[in-house]
Amino acid sequence: MKASKATMTDVARRAGVSAATVARVLYNNGYVKEETRIAVKSAVEATGYRPNMVARGLRTSRSYTLGLVVSESRLNAFHPAVAHFVQMEALRQGYTVLTLNNNADSDMEAAGVRRFLDHHVDAVIFCSARDPRNVRIIAQNGIPTVQVERHIAHVGAVVTVDAHDGMREAVDHLYGLGHRRFAFIGGDVDSSNMEGNLDDAIEAVRERLFRENLARHGIDVPAANMLRAVYYDDSKPVRQPGYHLMRRLLALPERPTAVIFGSDLLAASGLQAISEAGLSVPNDISIIGYDDSMAEILTPALTSIAQPIGELGRLAVTMALAAIENSENAEPAISTVTRLVIRESTATVPNEGSE
Amino acid sequence: MKASKATMTDVARRAGVSAATVARVLYNNGYVKEETRIAVKSAVEATGYRPNMVARGLRTSRSYTLGLVVSESRLNAFHPAVAHFVQMEALRQGYTVLTLNNNADSDMEAAGVRRFLDHHVDAVIFCSARDPRNVRIIAQNGIPTVQVERHIAHVGAVVTVDAHDGMREAVDHLYGLGHRRFAFIGGDVDSSNMEGNLDDAIEAVRERLFRENLARHGIDVPAANMLRAVYYDDSKPVRQPGYHLMRRLLALPERPTAVIFGSDLLAASGLQAISEAGLSVPNDISIIGYDDSMAEILTPALTSIAQPIGELGRLAVTMALAAIENSENAEPAISTVTRLVIRESTATVPNEGSE
DNA sequence: CTGAAAGCGCTAACAC
DNA sequence: GTGTTAGCGCTTTCAG
C-alpha cells in the first residue's frame, strides 16, 4: 500500500512528454501548449506526484528549509511560542523548519548550528542565540541570519522589540494606582556572550526605561530595588530564577509595593516568594510580568507587558526569506512594539499604616 | 570570508586521491593504507570539509532528518519539553529534527506532514498527532512512525506511559493525608480523532485508575466529581481549560477536599478558580497536577504525577532509528512509568466542621 | 513549443 | 588498496 514514490520521469512518461516539460508546467516556466499542460496536470494527479525536495535541493542549492535556534524552551514559554509562529509562517511560505533548543548550552548550540550547515538550510533564525560565535559561523558560510528579540551578534538581520510603549504604560498604570515604592527584577546581562555595548542588551534597556519612566514622575529608585536574575547557571536553566531576589526585596526595610519583572517566568517564581511570606498579590503588592507568555494561567492572572509574539515569528520568517532572495542587499532591521495587558496582579497601593 | 564550500572532490584532489577513497576513510569502509588515510584526514582538516547531507540524501535515500509533530506547544509546557529531548537525542545520534506544532489543527498537521514527506524525512515522531489519518499517511509511504504518550492511530511504534504507579501513589498520598472526598478533572476523549477503543485513550485510563485506586480504599466517587475538560475548541486551544470545571466542583454541596487534574495546565487554571472563590491550596483543598511540566513554577508549587519527559523524548528517537535500520521488523511498543512528585499543593484534610 | 544532455555532491559496485 | 563509473531526481541551458 505504499503510496506512489512517483518520480518526475514517471509523470513525464505517463503524459508522453519529457521531464523538462513536466518541470515547465509545474513551475510555469516557458511556454507549454495548453494541450500538453493538461496532459501533464492529469498525469501529476494520477500518480500523486510530489517533488523530491532533496533532489531539488541538490540541483538548485536551495533546500527550502530554515534553521531555528531557540533557547531554554522548557520553563520559559516565550520561546516555544515564537517557534510556533515561525513554523506556521514557514509552512505557509513553502518552507520547513529545522528546530533546535540550545538549552542555554553553547556547545550544544554549536553542534546544532554545524548540523544546520550540513543540511544546507537556506537561513537561520535565532530566537536568542547563546553564543555570538554561532551566529557568525552561519554568516561566514554566506547564509542569512535573523536574530529575534535579543541580538547578541552584530551580523545579519534583526527583529527587535521596542520596549518603550509597554514600559511607559506599565509604570503609568502602577503610578496611577498610587504606587510610589517600586522595584525591578530583570534578567542578568551576560557580558561574556554579548558583542558590543552592554547597555544595548535588552535587559539593560528595560532597566533604563523603568528608571526613566519613574523619573518622569519624580521617583528615584534605590539601587537595592534594582535586581538582576540569572537565568542560566553553569549552562543549566535556573528553575525558579526570581524566587530569591523577590525574597530579598521583601526583606527590605521599605518594602516596595510594586514590582515589574523581566519575564513572566521571573514573575511566576517571584509569586512563590510573595506567597511564602504570607503576602498576597495584588492586595499587599502589585506585580507585572513581561512577555505575556504564561501570564494568563498564573494565579492571579498576571498583568504583563506583552511582546508581539506572533508578529515576531512571522517577521523573522519574512526577513529570512527576503534575505534568501537577494542576499547582497543590505541587512535590515525591523522593530515591533510592546503593550501592557492588564489583568489581576495589579491594584491600588495598600494603606500605608497597615504594615 | 565565506568559509569553504569544499566538496569531497576538492578534498580528494588536495590529498591526491579519488573521491571514493575520501569516502572510505570518512566512513571507515574497506581498507585504506595508513599513509593515505593520514593524507586524507589532513586534507579534510585543511579544507574544513563537511559532508553535504543533501547530496548524500539523494544518493542514499536517507535524509538524516526526523519529522516531529507536537501539539499545542504554547500554553502546555509538556510538548515543548518532549520536543527538547527529541532534538537533543537526535543531535547526538547524527540526526536533525524538522519540527511542527500542529496547534490542534488537523489541516495544519496534514500540510506539515505532507511537507515532511516532500523532504524525505527518515521517520516521524508524533507527540500527539491530532488526526490519525496524518499518521497513516506517513506509514503508507513506508516511513516509520513513533507515537509518544498518546497513540491515536494503530500503526507503527509507540512509546506509552504506564499511569499505574503515579496514580496509585497520588491516591495513597491524599488518602494518607486524611482526604475522603475526591474529584478528578481530566481531559476530554476526542472520539472523532481516535481509532479503536475509546476506553484505551489515556484520558480514560487515568480516570479509571483514579476510580480503581480509590475503590481500593473503599471510596466511591460520585459522577458529579468526575469531569472532563476540553483542551481544544474549534481547533483552537482553550486558554483556561480547567477553570470552569473547578468552579463547578466548588459549587457542589459536598465540596471535594482533594482534586487530581489530568495535566499541570488544567491544575493551573483550576487554581485560578479556587483562589477566586477565596479558598486556599493546600489549606482548604489539596490538588495534584499531571505531567510535572510546569508544576514547580506555580504557586503553590504543585504536587504532580510526573511523566518521564526526558525518557519519552529519548526513547522516541531510539525507536525511530531502530525502525529506520530494519523497517521490516515488527512494530514495537515500549512503556515508561510515572511517579508522584510531592510539593506544596497537598496537605492534611481541613477540619470537617470548619466550613 | 519541446526534448536531449549535463551535472549538483555523493556512494556503491566493479575494475585493476 | 585505490580509481573509475554510474546514477539518485531534479533543473537548466541549448538545440531544434
Side-chain angles (χ1 to χ4, degrees):
Chain A
M1 227 296 168
K2 293 202 179 195
S4 52
K5 277 265 178 243
T7 146
M8 202 166 204
T9 331
D10 295 339
V11 177
R13 191 165 24 239
R14 196 172 223 280
V17 296
S18 77
T21 302
V22 174
R24 273 189 275 262
V25 349
L26 285 177
Y27 306 112
N28 296 313
N29 273 346
Y31 297 99
V32 181
K33 209 200 308 176
E34 192 52 26
E35 205 176 310
T36 53
R37 161 171 268 105
I38 300 201
V40 168
K41 291 228 166 168
S42 80
V44 167
E45 287 275 309
T47 54
Y49 169 77
R50 304 238 83 215
N52 179 335
M53 300 307 276
V54 179
R56 195 129 101 94
L58 179 57
R59 179 61 228 239
T60 60
S61 53
R62 285 273 292 267
S63 64
Y64 292 92
T65 59
L66 260 29
L68 171 65
V69 174
V70 293
S71 67
E72 214 300 82
S73 67
R74 289 174 56 207
L75 285 178
N76 196 334
F78 175 67
H79 305 282
V82 173
H84 167 68
F85 290 104
V86 167
Q87 288 157 8
M88 287 303 96
E89 182 65 13
L91 188 63
R92 222 175 58 78
Q93 305 262 12
Y95 277 74
T96 297
V97 184
L98 290 167
T99 307
L100 178 83
N101 177 0
N102 64 24
N103 206 34
D105 182 331
S106 310
D107 296 335
M108 193 72 85
E109 182 174 85
V113 152
R114 188 72 43 97
R115 204 58 68 78
F116 283 173
L117 249 21
D118 295 350
H119 281 276
H120 286 226
V121 295
D122 295 338
V124 180
I125 295 170
F126 292 88
C127 190
S128 297
R130 177 66 180 136
D131 188 328
R133 282 173 298 179
N134 295 327
V135 183
R136 298 212 102 94
I137 288 173
I138 299 289
Q140 280 162 11
N141 278 65
I143 294 172
T145 61
V146 181
Q147 290 174 81
V148 180
E149 194 212 12
R150 201 174 300 256
H151 63 296
I152 61 172
H154 285 162
V155 247
V158 295
V159 181
T160 54
V161 183
D162 184 334
H164 281 84
D165 291 355
M167 192 58 85
R168 179 173 35 72
E169 288 173 30
V171 166
D172 288 357
H173 171 61
L174 291 171
Y175 188 86
L177 290 168
H179 293 274
R180 296 298 179 265
R181 296 213 302 274
F182 291 82
F184 185 84
I185 298 185
D188 191 38
V189 177
D190 184 350
S191 54
S192 62
N193 280 314
M194 169 87 194
E195 287 182 355
N197 196 338
L198 293 186
D199 295 343
D200 295 340
I202 59 173
E203 299 297 357
V205 170
R206 290 178 194 170
E207 264 179 42
R208 195 163 57 240
L209 288 173
F210 174 78
R211 295 198 94 105
E212 287 175 5
N213 277 287
L214 281 169
R216 209 165 28 88
H217 292 293
I219 293 179
D220 183 48
V221 184
N225 290 25
M226 301 291 300
L227 302 177
R228 291 175 168 197
V230 193
Y231 281 109
Y232 308 121
D233 189 13
D234 186 28
S235 286
K236 291 276 168 293
V238 173
R239 320 293 293 181
Q240 275 107 355
Y243 176 78
H244 291 289
L245 297 180
M246 188 65 223
R247 276 174 60 108
R248 223 200 280 174
L249 286 184
L250 292 175
L252 248 30
E254 289 238 296
R255 198 175 72 208
T257 63
V259 184
I260 295 185
F261 289 85
S263 69
D264 281 354
L265 177 62
L266 238 30
S269 44
L271 220 33
Q272 297 181 318
I274 296 173
S275 160
E276 190 182 85
L279 296 172
S280 121
V281 172
N283 296 334
D284 300 311
I285 189 164
S286 286
I287 70 173
I288 293 186
Y290 207 108
D291 282 357
D292 200 28
S293 58
M294 54 180 296
E296 66 187 331
I297 53 159
L298 293 174
T299 305
L302 245 49
T303 294
S304 186
I305 298 173
Q307 305 251 38
I309 298 182
E311 207 182 343
L312 287 177
R314 285 187 292 268
L315 283 174
V317 173
T318 304
M319 292 185 72
L321 299 196
I324 293 168
E325 297 304 338
N326 57 15
S327 50
E328 59 278 358
N329 227 30
E331 294 150 350
I334 199 165
S335 185
T336 61
V337 301
T338 49
R339 61 170 222 294
L340 185 69
V341 177
I342 298 174
R343 295 201 185 82
E344 289 143 36
S345 65
T346 43
T348 327
V349 64
N351 207 326
E352 261 301 317
S354 71
E355 249 180 68
Chain B
M1 229 294 170
K2 293 200 180 199
S4 51
K5 277 267 177 242
T7 144
M8 202 167 206
T9 330
D10 293 340
V11 176
R13 187 163 27 237
R14 197 171 223 279
V17 297
S18 77
T21 302
V22 175
R24 272 190 274 263
V25 349
L26 284 178
Y27 306 113
N28 297 314
N29 274 345
Y31 298 99
V32 182
K33 209 199 308 173
E34 193 54 25
E35 205 175 309
T36 53
R37 160 173 266 105
I38 300 199
V40 168
K41 289 227 167 167
S42 81
V44 167
E45 286 277 308
T47 54
Y49 169 78
R50 304 239 83 216
N52 179 335
M53 300 306 277
V54 180
R56 195 130 102 94
L58 179 58
R59 180 61 228 240
T60 60
S61 52
R62 286 273 292 266
S63 64
Y64 292 91
T65 59
L66 259 31
L68 171 66
V69 174
V70 293
S71 66
E72 213 302 78
S73 67
R74 289 174 57 206
L75 285 177
N76 196 334
F78 175 67
H79 301 107
V82 173
H84 167 68
F85 289 105
V86 166
Q87 288 157 8
M88 287 304 96
E89 182 64 12
L91 188 63
R92 223 175 58 78
Q93 305 261 13
Y95 278 74
T96 297
V97 184
L98 291 166
T99 306
L100 179 83
N101 176 359
N102 65 26
N103 205 34
D105 182 331
S106 309
D107 296 335
M108 193 72 85
E109 182 174 85
V113 152
R114 187 72 44 96
R115 204 57 69 75
F116 284 172
L117 249 21
D118 294 349
H119 281 276
H120 285 229
V121 294
D122 295 338
V124 179
I125 295 170
F126 291 88
C127 190
S128 298
R130 177 67 180 136
D131 187 330
R133 282 173 299 180
N134 294 327
V135 182
R136 298 213 103 94
I137 289 173
I138 299 290
Q140 281 163 8
N141 278 65
I143 295 172
T145 61
V146 181
Q147 291 174 81
V148 180
E149 195 213 11
R150 203 175 298 257
H151 62 295
I152 60 172
H154 286 162
V155 248
V158 295
V159 181
T160 54
V161 183
D162 184 333
H164 281 83
D165 291 355
M167 192 58 85
R168 178 172 36 71
E169 288 172 31
V171 166
D172 288 357
H173 172 62
L174 290 171
Y175 188 86
L177 289 168
H179 293 274
R180 295 300 178 265
R181 295 211 303 274
F182 291 83
F184 185 85
I185 298 185
D188 191 39
V189 178
D190 184 350
S191 54
S192 61
N193 280 315
M194 169 86 194
E195 287 181 356
N197 195 339
L198 293 185
D199 295 343
D200 295 340
I202 58 173
E203 299 298 355
V205 171
R206 289 177 193 170
E207 264 179 41
R208 195 163 56 239
L209 288 173
F210 174 77
R211 293 200 94 106
E212 287 175 6
N213 276 289
L214 281 170
R216 210 167 25 89
H217 292 293
I219 294 180
D220 183 48
V221 185
N225 291 24
M226 302 291 299
L227 302 177
R228 292 174 167 198
V230 192
Y231 280 110
Y232 307 121
D233 189 13
D234 187 27
S235 287
K236 290 276 169 292
V238 172
R239 319 294 290 182
Q240 275 107 353
Y243 176 77
H244 290 291
L245 298 181
M246 189 63 223
R247 277 175 60 108
R248 222 201 281 175
L249 286 183
L250 293 175
L252 249 29
E254 289 238 297
R255 198 176 70 208
T257 63
V259 184
I260 296 185
F261 289 85
S263 70
D264 281 356
L265 177 61
L266 237 29
S269 43
L271 219 34
Q272 297 182 317
I274 296 173
S275 160
E276 191 183 85
L279 298 172
S280 122
V281 173
N283 296 333
D284 300 311
I285 189 163
S286 286
I287 71 174
I288 293 186
Y290 207 109
D291 282 357
D292 201 27
S293 59
M294 55 180 295
E296 68 187 330
I297 54 158
L298 294 174
T299 305
L302 244 50
T303 294
S304 185
I305 297 174
Q307 305 253 37
I309 297 182
E311 208 183 341
L312 287 177
R314 285 187 292 268
L315 283 174
V317 172
T318 304
M319 294 185 71
L321 298 196
I324 293 169
E325 297 305 339
N326 57 17
S327 49
E328 57 278 0
N329 227 29
E331 294 151 351
I334 198 165
S335 184
T336 61
V337 300
T338 50
R339 60 170 222 293
L340 186 69
V341 177
I342 297 175
R343 294 202 185 80
E344 290 143 35
S345 65
T346 43
T348 327
V349 66
N351 207 325
E352 259 303 318
S354 72
E355 248 178 67

